[in-house]
Amino acid sequence: EVQLEQSGGEVKKPGESLRISCKGFGHNFNDFWISWVRQMPGKGLEWMGRISPTNSYTKYSPSFEGHVTVSFDKSINTAYLQWSSLKASDTAMYYCASGPGALDVWGQGTTVTVSS
Amino acid sequence: EIVLTQSPDFQSVAPKEKVTITCRASQDIGLSLHWYQHKPDRPPKLLITYTSQSISGVPSRFSGSGSGTDFTLTINGLEAEDAAAYYCHQSRNLPLTFGGGTKVEIK
């Protein structure tokens, strides 16, 4: 059974960089894409993008492309979501998730707060 | 981009009553529609996959139907633990997209 474990909550200032992580466990971990999903305070779920653990091929939602970077370290089965310059509007809960079509395995979520 | 429109946004329902949530896609997505339950301080939980396929461990009161552009999630006999937000999600085309969500409150 695949499990996803995310890094802890972060508090950052506007303009700072950040990388959050999602570590995979289980023998089927590399079978499916890893997606990142955002939930802003009081809002719904938004798909940001995904990465293949096999070849690190990425695909982004147009709403997020150019603002975040998704990467994967095969040696430690860990996916990353990265910002080079945070904005206050990046304040949200971020989930990683995986699955063959539907997202049937989710990380516990990482809270990111961006405030001056 | 495929837009998923859920209705209603909010529903207040008494226990044991039936709940129906609809999800309309902006183009044909076949059966590639999935439903999630999302409670505060927890990650979303997959309830139904590919329109109507049940997920192990999910109570049988949850069911899904539809095809093409119109889909429905039904909760037959609402229980107190079902208070949550519910989202549809399509995996037919990239970018993947979610519906706006339906909040279900127990009366």
Side-chain angles (χ1 to χ4, degrees):
Chain A
E1 178 184 320
V2 174
Q3 292 182 331
L4 301 175
E5 184 177 290
Q6 296 186 231
S7 49
E10 301 274 1
V11 180
K12 291 287 190 179
K13 290 181 167 44
E16 291 186 332
S17 62
L18 174 65
R19 189 177 76 168
I20 63 175
S21 66
C22 170
K23 184 173 176 61
F25 300 88
H27 67 280
N28 290 332
F29 174 72
N30 288 332
D31 289 353
F32 308 120
W33 296 72
I34 303 294
S35 284
W36 287 95
V37 176
R38 181 176 80 174
Q39 185 176 37
M40 298 175 73
K43 302 296 185 182
L45 303 175
E46 301 173 272
W47 183 78
M48 303 175 69
R50 70 183 189 183
I51 188 163
S52 167
T54 302
N55 57 21
S56 292
Y57 181 74
T58 55
K59 180 64 181 179
Y60 294 92
S61 166
S63 301
F64 293 92
E65 187 150 28
H67 186 58
V68 297
T69 301
V70 175
S71 59
F72 188 79
D73 186 334
K74 225 171 184 174
S75 67
I76 54 172
N77 270 0
T78 300
Y80 298 97
L81 178 65
Q82 182 174 328
W83 296 259
S84 58
S85 180
L86 286 160
K87 304 176 182 177
S89 57
D90 292 318
T91 294
M93 175 72 84
Y94 293 88
Y95 295 101
C96 61
S98 179
L103 300 171
D104 61 350
V105 179
W106 291 72
Q108 81 275 23
T110 297
T111 301
V112 174
T113 303
V114 184
S115 174
S116 54
Chain B
E1 173 174 321
I2 295 175
V3 177
L4 298 179
T5 303
Q6 276 184 245
S7 61
D9 294 334
F10 176 83
Q11 208 166 13
S12 183
V13 181
K16 299 184 183 179
E17 294 296 306
K18 179 179 174 180
V19 174
T20 300
I21 299 169
T22 65
C23 179
R24 174 162 288 177
S26 59
Q27 63 189 75
D28 190 334
I29 57 172
L31 299 177
S32 298
L33 190 285
H34 320 286
W35 292 97
Y36 301 84
Q37 178 190 67
H38 193 198
K39 296 182 179 181
D41 301 321
R42 297 187 191 180
K45 175 186 175 182
L46 181 64
L47 292 178
I48 300 287
T49 192
Y50 290 101
T51 298
S52 60
Q53 294 181 24
S54 57
I55 299 295
S56 174
V58 174
S60 58
R61 62 182 178 274
F62 292 94
S63 63
S65 63
S67 69
T69 59
D70 292 296
F71 302 86
T72 301
L73 173 71
T74 300
I75 310 174
N76 271 306
L78 189 71
E79 298 192 5
E81 66 184 27
D82 300 334
Y86 293 85
Y87 294 90
C88 58
H89 162 232
Q90 67 81 21
S91 62
R92 179 63 176 259
N93 285 354
L94 293 177
L96 306 184
T97 48
F98 289 91
T102 297
K103 186 173 181 180
V104 174
E105 175 191 89
I106 311 299
K107 244 184 218 173

